[in-house]
Structures are given as structure tokens and as C-alpha cells.
Amino acid sequence: MLDQFCLASGLKVNIQKSKFSVSANMHRWKIDQFHSIMGIPHTYDIGKYLGFPLLKGRVTNANFSHILDRVNSRLAGLKSKLLCRTRRVTLAQSMLTSLLTYNMQNLWLPHGVCDKIDKSMRSFIWSKSSTHWVNLDTITRCRKLGGLGISGVIIINYEYI
């Protein structure tokens, strides 16, 4: 079948870069038989393509831990104690637009992941103080209405659906 595809399309399949994945109900002897015929290795983790994880099966919050790690590491690298609150708000907005938009164009983030990112952003804006002087509704309200103008991650996530 692959030979017919190559003849019809003019493309070639690189066996060294190829992997195959099957459903959980497939017997191991069938997987081994397919591997011996095709020469393509079997994998349970498909990996990433263009920086995006290729998800198989049920999507969990753990599938998006790399996004949370990037947000937290980027925020931790910024010197929040040296910045006034308006600068922290500006940095938080740029983080949302640059880092998350790329991921949300191709993947829908679960609510739990969005909540964790929002929590990290709020703690960055308030400089990890225990008292948040403004509630979340005020932070996400537009500036014309007296808010800080930061869209919640869940709102941005729904814009890309």
C-alpha cells in the first residue's frame, strides 16, 4: 500500500523516521507481525510535531505540563520585585499573547490547565503577596471599564475553537 501511495503521489516514505501506533486492544503478536512486514517500529508515545504533542487517547492535564512549565519558568525568570505593578501587568499580557496563542491555535487547553496558568499570572502580578487587592473580575475587565485588561486564559482558549 505504501508503494502504491509513493507511485501515485511522487513522495517517498522515510522508514527511519516513521513509527506506528495502534489501539489498546491490538494483540502483541499482530503488532510484531506488522513490524516484521513493514520494518516500521511500534511506539506508545507518538511524540511531538512542530512543537505540539500528538495526543492519543484521553486528554489529561498532564499532557499539557510542558505549557505550564514554560509559563512558570518564563515568569520566574522575570524580576518581578524590581518592577512596578503596571509593568508586571504589561508583561503578563505579552506572555499570554506570545506564548499561549501559538499553543491554543492547535490545541484546546483543559479548564484545569487554564486555571493553573491564570493562578500563575495572578501571583506574578501581585508579586506573590498573600493579599490580592483586586478580584479576578476586575483584572479581566477591560481598561475602559476600570479593569486591568488581562483576558483570562479560558476566554482566550475559547476564541480559537
Side-chain angles (χ1 to χ4, degrees):
M1 186 183 303
L2 286 176
D3 291 335
Q4 291 176 356
F5 170 78
C6 292
L7 287 173
S9 66
L11 301 173
K12 291 187 176 184
V13 176
N14 188 342
I15 300 295
Q16 287 78 27
K17 292 183 179 180
S18 300
K19 298 177 187 175
F20 76 93
S21 180
V22 296
S23 68
N25 298 333
M26 182 71 71
H27 293 285
R28 184 68 202 174
W29 65 270
K30 285 186 179 182
I31 295 171
D32 293 338
Q33 185 179 18
F34 185 77
H35 171 68
S36 65
I37 292 170
M38 297 297 295
I40 300 173
H42 173 259
T43 184
Y44 291 103
D45 182 23
I46 300 173
K48 292 184 177 183
Y49 181 71
L50 297 176
F52 294 105
L54 299 172
L55 303 175
K56 175 185 168 189
R58 184 180 176 144
V59 177
T60 63
N61 289 345
N63 296 121
F64 300 97
S65 62
H66 68 283
I67 295 173
L68 289 170
D69 293 340
R70 286 191 67 194
V71 168
N72 290 331
S73 66
R74 184 92 48 99
L75 289 175
L78 300 171
K79 306 289 188 220
S80 64
K81 292 182 179 180
L82 302 175
L83 299 171
C84 65
R85 188 156 289 124
T86 55
R87 301 275 186 211
R88 289 192 295 253
V89 170
T90 303
L91 283 173
Q93 286 175 328
S94 68
M95 283 284 299
L96 284 174
T97 56
S98 64
L99 184 66
L100 298 176
T101 303
Y102 179 70
N103 288 294
M104 289 181 189
Q105 287 176 353
N106 294 307
L107 298 170
W108 183 84
L109 301 180
H111 287 281
V113 174
C114 293
D115 290 341
K116 288 178 183 178
I117 293 171
D118 279 335
K119 183 178 179 181
S120 296
M121 298 300 244
R122 285 193 310 271
S123 66
F124 173 75
I125 290 171
W126 296 113
S127 186
K128 299 186 184 194
S129 66
S130 60
T131 305
H132 295 187
W133 297 104
V134 180
N135 63 12
L136 183 62
D137 293 334
T138 305
I139 290 174
T140 57
R141 194 179 310 145
C142 70
R143 290 178 186 232
K144 291 179 182 178
L145 299 175
L148 296 178
I150 297 178
S151 297
V153 177
I154 197 79
I155 295 169
I156 297 170
N157 198 25
Y158 280 117
E159 289 177 3
Y160 289 105
I161 292 180

PDB file of all heavy atoms in Angstrom, residues 81-99:
ATOM      1  N   LYS A  81      10.061  41.648  41.466  1.00  0.00           N
ATOM      2  CA  LYS A  81      10.209  42.545  42.616  1.00  0.00           C
ATOM      3  C   LYS A  81      10.780  43.895  42.210  1.00  0.00           C
ATOM      4  O   LYS A  81      10.613  44.876  42.919  1.00  0.00           O
ATOM      5  CB  LYS A  81      11.085  41.906  43.682  1.00  0.00           C
ATOM      6  CG  LYS A  81      10.433  40.712  44.331  1.00  0.00           C
ATOM      7  CD  LYS A  81      11.290  40.126  45.407  1.00  0.00           C
ATOM      8  CE  LYS A  81      10.563  38.943  46.038  1.00  0.00           C
ATOM      9  NZ  LYS A  81      11.328  38.329  47.092  1.00  0.00           N
ATOM     10  N   LEU A  82      11.461  43.956  41.081  1.00  0.00           N
ATOM     11  CA  LEU A  82      12.060  45.202  40.621  1.00  0.00           C
ATOM     12  C   LEU A  82      11.118  46.017  39.744  1.00  0.00           C
ATOM     13  O   LEU A  82      11.455  47.131  39.351  1.00  0.00           O
ATOM     14  CB  LEU A  82      13.350  44.912  39.852  1.00  0.00           C
ATOM     15  CG  LEU A  82      14.431  44.146  40.624  1.00  0.00           C
ATOM     16  CD1 LEU A  82      15.596  43.825  39.721  1.00  0.00           C
ATOM     17  CD2 LEU A  82      14.876  44.931  41.842  1.00  0.00           C
ATOM     18  N   LEU A  83       9.952  45.458  39.419  1.00  0.00           N
ATOM     19  CA  LEU A  83       9.023  46.123  38.513  1.00  0.00           C
ATOM     20  C   LEU A  83       7.812  46.641  39.268  1.00  0.00           C
ATOM     21  O   LEU A  83       7.345  46.021  40.221  1.00  0.00           O
ATOM     22  CB  LEU A  83       8.546  45.144  37.434  1.00  0.00           C
ATOM     23  CG  LEU A  83       9.621  44.562  36.523  1.00  0.00           C
ATOM     24  CD1 LEU A  83       9.024  43.462  35.676  1.00  0.00           C
ATOM     25  CD2 LEU A  83      10.234  45.636  35.656  1.00  0.00           C
ATOM     26  N   CYS A  84       7.285  47.762  38.793  1.00  0.00           N
ATOM     27  CA  CYS A  84       6.031  48.238  39.364  1.00  0.00           C
ATOM     28  C   CYS A  84       4.894  47.369  38.833  1.00  0.00           C
ATOM     29  O   CYS A  84       5.064  46.602  37.885  1.00  0.00           O
ATOM     30  CB  CYS A  84       5.804  49.713  39.035  1.00  0.00           C
ATOM     31  SG  CYS A  84       5.593  50.036  37.285  1.00  0.00           S
ATOM     32  N   ARG A  85       3.730  47.490  39.420  1.00  0.00           N
ATOM     33  CA  ARG A  85       2.608  46.629  39.073  1.00  0.00           C
ATOM     34  C   ARG A  85       2.167  46.816  37.623  1.00  0.00           C
ATOM     35  O   ARG A  85       1.792  45.855  36.958  1.00  0.00           O
ATOM     36  CB  ARG A  85       1.441  46.881  40.031  1.00  0.00           C
ATOM     37  CG  ARG A  85       0.329  45.877  39.823  1.00  0.00           C
ATOM     38  CD  ARG A  85      -0.546  45.690  41.031  1.00  0.00           C
ATOM     39  NE  ARG A  85       0.202  44.981  42.059  1.00  0.00           N
ATOM     40  CZ  ARG A  85       0.386  45.452  43.291  1.00  0.00           C
ATOM     41  NH1 ARG A  85      -0.102  46.591  43.655  1.00  0.00           N
ATOM     42  NH2 ARG A  85       1.067  44.754  44.178  1.00  0.00           N
ATOM     43  N   THR A  86       2.203  48.033  37.096  1.00  0.00           N
ATOM     44  CA  THR A  86       1.779  48.245  35.701  1.00  0.00           C
ATOM     45  C   THR A  86       2.717  47.528  34.741  1.00  0.00           C
ATOM     46  O   THR A  86       2.279  47.001  33.721  1.00  0.00           O
ATOM     47  CB  THR A  86       1.724  49.741  35.361  1.00  0.00           C
ATOM     48  OG1 THR A  86       2.996  50.334  35.650  1.00  0.00           O
ATOM     49  CG2 THR A  86       0.632  50.430  36.125  1.00  0.00           C
ATOM     50  N   ARG A  87       4.000  47.474  35.051  1.00  0.00           N
ATOM     51  CA  ARG A  87       4.946  46.733  34.204  1.00  0.00           C
ATOM     52  C   ARG A  87       4.675  45.233  34.288  1.00  0.00           C
ATOM     53  O   ARG A  87       4.790  44.524  33.295  1.00  0.00           O
ATOM     54  CB  ARG A  87       6.383  47.007  34.630  1.00  0.00           C
ATOM     55  CG  ARG A  87       6.772  48.437  34.562  1.00  0.00           C
ATOM     56  CD  ARG A  87       7.225  48.810  33.206  1.00  0.00           C
ATOM     57  NE  ARG A  87       7.722  50.184  33.251  1.00  0.00           N
ATOM     58  CZ  ARG A  87       7.653  51.005  32.266  1.00  0.00           C
ATOM     59  NH1 ARG A  87       7.121  50.616  31.136  1.00  0.00           N
ATOM     60  NH2 ARG A  87       8.109  52.222  32.367  1.00  0.00           N
ATOM     61  N   ARG A  88       4.334  44.757  35.467  1.00  0.00           N
ATOM     62  CA  ARG A  88       4.012  43.332  35.605  1.00  0.00           C
ATOM     63  C   ARG A  88       2.757  42.975  34.820  1.00  0.00           C
ATOM     64  O   ARG A  88       2.670  41.902  34.232  1.00  0.00           O
ATOM     65  CB  ARG A  88       3.863  42.966  37.085  1.00  0.00           C
ATOM     66  CG  ARG A  88       5.182  42.975  37.828  1.00  0.00           C
ATOM     67  CD  ARG A  88       5.047  42.337  39.188  1.00  0.00           C
ATOM     68  NE  ARG A  88       4.163  43.083  40.075  1.00  0.00           N
ATOM     69  CZ  ARG A  88       4.553  43.801  41.102  1.00  0.00           C
ATOM     70  NH1 ARG A  88       5.832  43.896  41.383  1.00  0.00           N
ATOM     71  NH2 ARG A  88       3.683  44.416  41.856  1.00  0.00           N
ATOM     72  N   VAL A  89       1.763  43.874  34.807  1.00  0.00           N
ATOM     73  CA  VAL A  89       0.549  43.639  34.018  1.00  0.00           C
ATOM     74  C   VAL A  89       0.892  43.572  32.535  1.00  0.00           C
ATOM     75  O   VAL A  89       0.423  42.694  31.811  1.00  0.00           O
ATOM     76  CB  VAL A  89      -0.508  44.726  34.301  1.00  0.00           C
ATOM     77  CG1 VAL A  89      -1.653  44.636  33.310  1.00  0.00           C
ATOM     78  CG2 VAL A  89      -1.030  44.603  35.718  1.00  0.00           C
ATOM     79  N   THR A  90       1.737  44.488  32.083  1.00  0.00           N
ATOM     80  CA  THR A  90       2.139  44.501  30.676  1.00  0.00           C
ATOM     81  C   THR A  90       2.885  43.221  30.310  1.00  0.00           C
ATOM     82  O   THR A  90       2.646  42.627  29.249  1.00  0.00           O
ATOM     83  CB  THR A  90       3.024  45.723  30.388  1.00  0.00           C
ATOM     84  OG1 THR A  90       2.309  46.897  30.749  1.00  0.00           O
ATOM     85  CG2 THR A  90       3.403  45.790  28.931  1.00  0.00           C
ATOM     86  N   LEU A  91       3.785  42.785  31.170  1.00  0.00           N
ATOM     87  CA  LEU A  91       4.495  41.535  30.909  1.00  0.00           C
ATOM     88  C   LEU A  91       3.559  40.332  30.914  1.00  0.00           C
ATOM     89  O   LEU A  91       3.712  39.409  30.116  1.00  0.00           O
ATOM     90  CB  LEU A  91       5.603  41.342  31.939  1.00  0.00           C
ATOM     91  CG  LEU A  91       6.859  42.176  31.723  1.00  0.00           C
ATOM     92  CD1 LEU A  91       7.802  42.032  32.896  1.00  0.00           C
ATOM     93  CD2 LEU A  91       7.541  41.777  30.446  1.00  0.00           C
ATOM     94  N   ALA A  92       2.589  40.328  31.801  1.00  0.00           N
ATOM     95  CA  ALA A  92       1.626  39.222  31.845  1.00  0.00           C
ATOM     96  C   ALA A  92       0.810  39.172  30.553  1.00  0.00           C
ATOM     97  O   ALA A  92       0.560  38.092  30.012  1.00  0.00           O
ATOM     98  CB  ALA A  92       0.706  39.371  33.050  1.00  0.00           C
ATOM     99  N   GLN A  93       0.406  40.331  30.046  1.00  0.00           N
ATOM    100  CA  GLN A  93      -0.347  40.367  28.791  1.00  0.00           C
ATOM    101  C   GLN A  93       0.505  39.867  27.628  1.00  0.00           C
ATOM    102  O   GLN A  93       0.022  39.121  26.774  1.00  0.00           O
ATOM    103  CB  GLN A  93      -0.825  41.778  28.503  1.00  0.00           C
ATOM    104  CG  GLN A  93      -1.961  42.223  29.365  1.00  0.00           C
ATOM    105  CD  GLN A  93      -2.320  43.678  29.116  1.00  0.00           C
ATOM    106  OE1 GLN A  93      -1.477  44.493  28.792  1.00  0.00           O
ATOM    107  NE2 GLN A  93      -3.593  43.981  29.276  1.00  0.00           N
ATOM    108  N   SER A  94       1.759  40.269  27.576  1.00  0.00           N
ATOM    109  CA  SER A  94       2.612  39.819  26.479  1.00  0.00           C
ATOM    110  C   SER A  94       2.870  38.325  26.564  1.00  0.00           C
ATOM    111  O   SER A  94       2.991  37.649  25.538  1.00  0.00           O
ATOM    112  CB  SER A  94       3.923  40.595  26.463  1.00  0.00           C
ATOM    113  OG  SER A  94       4.703  40.275  27.581  1.00  0.00           O
ATOM    114  N   MET A  95       2.946  37.798  27.790  1.00  0.00           N
ATOM    115  CA  MET A  95       3.099  36.354  27.953  1.00  0.00           C
ATOM    116  C   MET A  95       1.902  35.604  27.382  1.00  0.00           C
ATOM    117  O   MET A  95       2.057  34.599  26.702  1.00  0.00           O
ATOM    118  CB  MET A  95       3.228  36.007  29.434  1.00  0.00           C
ATOM    119  CG  MET A  95       4.559  36.282  30.043  1.00  0.00           C
ATOM    120  SD  MET A  95       5.735  35.055  29.568  1.00  0.00           S
ATOM    121  CE  MET A  95       4.962  33.612  30.241  1.00  0.00           C
ATOM    122  N   LEU A  96       0.707  36.100  27.687  1.00  0.00           N
ATOM    123  CA  LEU A  96      -0.496  35.432  27.190  1.00  0.00           C
ATOM    124  C   LEU A  96      -0.539  35.446  25.671  1.00  0.00           C
ATOM    125  O   LEU A  96      -0.847  34.439  25.043  1.00  0.00           O
ATOM    126  CB  LEU A  96      -1.748  36.101  27.745  1.00  0.00           C
ATOM    127  CG  LEU A  96      -2.090  35.792  29.188  1.00  0.00           C
ATOM    128  CD1 LEU A  96      -3.275  36.638  29.628  1.00  0.00           C
ATOM    129  CD2 LEU A  96      -2.419  34.335  29.341  1.00  0.00           C
ATOM    130  N   THR A  97      -0.241  36.587  25.082  1.00  0.00           N
ATOM    131  CA  THR A  97      -0.379  36.686  23.633  1.00  0.00           C
ATOM    132  C   THR A  97       0.702  35.920  22.893  1.00  0.00           C
ATOM    133  O   THR A  97       0.434  35.286  21.881  1.00  0.00           O
ATOM    134  CB  THR A  97      -0.381  38.151  23.179  1.00  0.00           C
ATOM    135  OG1 THR A  97       0.809  38.783  23.660  1.00  0.00           O
ATOM    136  CG2 THR A  97      -1.586  38.879  23.691  1.00  0.00           C
ATOM    137  N   SER A  98       1.939  35.939  23.393  1.00  0.00           N
ATOM    138  CA  SER A  98       3.011  35.293  22.639  1.00  0.00           C
ATOM    139  C   SER A  98       3.104  33.797  22.891  1.00  0.00           C
ATOM    140  O   SER A  98       3.121  33.001  21.957  1.00  0.00           O
ATOM    141  CB  SER A  98       4.352  35.951  22.954  1.00  0.00           C
ATOM    142  OG  SER A  98       4.680  35.751  24.317  1.00  0.00           O
ATOM    143  N   LEU A  99       3.161  33.405  24.126  1.00  0.00           N
ATOM    144  CA  LEU A  99       3.417  32.006  24.449  1.00  0.00           C
ATOM    145  C   LEU A  99       2.191  31.121  24.279  1.00  0.00           C
ATOM    146  O   LEU A  99       2.255  30.054  23.677  1.00  0.00           O
ATOM    147  CB  LEU A  99       3.932  31.900  25.888  1.00  0.00           C
ATOM    148  CG  LEU A  99       4.349  30.531  26.378  1.00  0.00           C
ATOM    149  CD1 LEU A  99       5.568  30.055  25.609  1.00  0.00           C
ATOM    150  CD2 LEU A  99       4.669  30.586  27.845  1.00  0.00           C
TER     151      LEU A  99
END
